[in-house]
Amino acid sequence: MRNTPPRISARRAGVGITGFAALAAAAVVAAPASLAAVDTVSIDETNPVVDKAYTISATLSGASIGLLVYFSDNGNEIGPPKIPSPPGHASISWRPTTSGQHIITASQGPNSQSIVVQVADAPLGSGSSSTGSGFGPAGPLGSGSSGTTPN
């Protein structure tokens, strides 16, 4: 003898299977977000200046294999996304073009970390110089790049 009619048992089984499927789907959707993490972002110089190249690095944990890492400067992408190599680490070359505050962000999946970097103007005389001789308003300037007048 049956204690419950067959339709009620089938309905209960269907509700149980649907509930289990919903929980399993939620776990799969949430898994990448909870497993991938950007732990730190750093720059290889403490006092960066305009127009000089630096390396920005990110340390990663969790499911970092195969997930691209995106780097940005004040919201603007720095180069193409990077594949973590070796696993748990990604880096990119960055050459700031303006002085002032820069917010550098590394993102992987839905996770990101940022650092604030103060970029200074390049010191005078740090650019390239030309060589040769020339004449100025007061006469010959001499030769070389110093711009001094001969004695």
Side-chain angles (χ1 to χ4, degrees):
M1 287 195 167
R2 293 185 180 162
N3 292 340
T4 58
R7 280 194 271 175
I8 294 174
S9 293
R11 197 177 310 147
R12 285 183 185 159
V15 169
I17 291 170
T18 303
F20 177 75
L23 286 173
V28 168
V29 169
S34 63
L35 295 177
V38 178
D39 298 324
T40 62
V41 178
S42 61
I43 184 170
D44 64 346
E45 175 65 44
T46 55
N47 299 312
V49 296
V50 170
D51 206 32
K52 184 176 176 201
Y54 302 97
T55 300
I56 298 171
S57 299
T59 56
L60 315 161
S61 63
S64 63
I65 297 174
L67 290 178
L68 296 174
V69 179
Y70 295 83
F71 291 92
S72 65
D73 173 7
N74 291 335
N76 300 313
E77 284 190 14
I78 303 171
K82 298 296 182 180
I83 296 173
S85 180
H89 181 266
S91 62
I92 195 165
S93 180
W94 172 60
R95 184 180 297 268
T97 58
T98 60
S99 61
Q101 179 176 298
H102 292 256
I103 299 172
I104 306 298
T105 303
S107 302
Q108 185 184 47
N111 298 298
S112 63
Q113 285 287 340
S114 298
I115 57 171
V116 176
V117 177
Q118 283 300 127
V119 176
D121 286 321
L124 291 176
S126 65
S128 63
S129 61
S130 61
T131 59
S133 62
F135 290 88
L141 295 175
S143 64
S145 60
S146 66
T148 58
T149 305
N151 291 335

